Amino acid sequence: MNKFTGTSAFVLLTLGLAACAGPDTSQMSAGERITERGGEITQYGDDWTSGNKEVRDGEKLIARSTSQITNARKKLAKAEADQVKARQMIADGTIKMQRSEADYAAVRAGPAATNISQPE
């Protein structure tokens, strides 16, 4: 390789690397640097706001579902108490019916309510 080719290769390589390096940020003003980073910072803020909304919505949902569970438990307790009351009513009614049937059977077995005279 001669001196001209080596120097040309070095110059081309240096220019190529300089082009790949991109703009020199030290030449940018503070406002330009802030503007460049603004999109990234905005995304952080948007993500935080979105997360904060999810937290608030989740807390509201927990409060609402806790209230629904409490109401459902009250309704369940009332329904169970109503079943106990209904079973007792059925037992009491059955006893009354059996007593009535027994009393009726005793009356039928006894003397007639009217005296029917026998023809002579």
Side-chain angles (χ1 to χ4, degrees):
M1 192 188 300
N2 65 23
K3 189 174 185 181
F4 178 74
T5 308
T7 305
S8 298
F10 178 76
V11 170
L12 286 174
L13 183 61
T14 303
L15 288 175
L17 288 175
C20 291
D24 186 9
T25 55
S26 65
Q27 298 297 325
M28 294 172 50
S29 69
E32 290 170 331
R33 287 191 304 272
I34 291 171
T35 300
E36 185 177 278
R37 293 177 51 198
E40 182 180 323
I41 293 169
T42 298
Q43 184 60 46
Y44 296 145
D46 291 345
D47 290 346
W48 187 92
T49 301
S50 175
N52 186 32
K53 182 181 183 314
E54 284 186 48
V55 168
R56 284 183 287 129
D57 291 348
E59 288 171 344
K60 288 177 187 176
L61 183 58
I62 285 174
R64 188 169 46 248
S65 64
T66 299
S67 176
Q68 290 172 337
I69 289 169
T70 301
N71 291 337
R73 286 184 177 143
K74 287 177 184 177
K75 287 180 181 180
L76 179 61
K78 183 182 181 322
E80 288 172 339
D82 286 349
Q83 280 196 339
V84 169
K85 182 179 176 182
R87 287 187 180 102
Q88 187 61 50
M89 290 170 72
I90 291 169
D92 292 345
T94 301
I95 291 170
K96 285 180 183 179
M97 289 168 48
Q98 289 171 345
R99 190 177 307 133
S100 176
E101 289 172 1
D103 291 346
Y104 177 68
V107 168
R108 282 188 61 197
T114 58
N115 288 334
I116 302 176
S117 23
Q118 298 282 336
E120 290 183 29

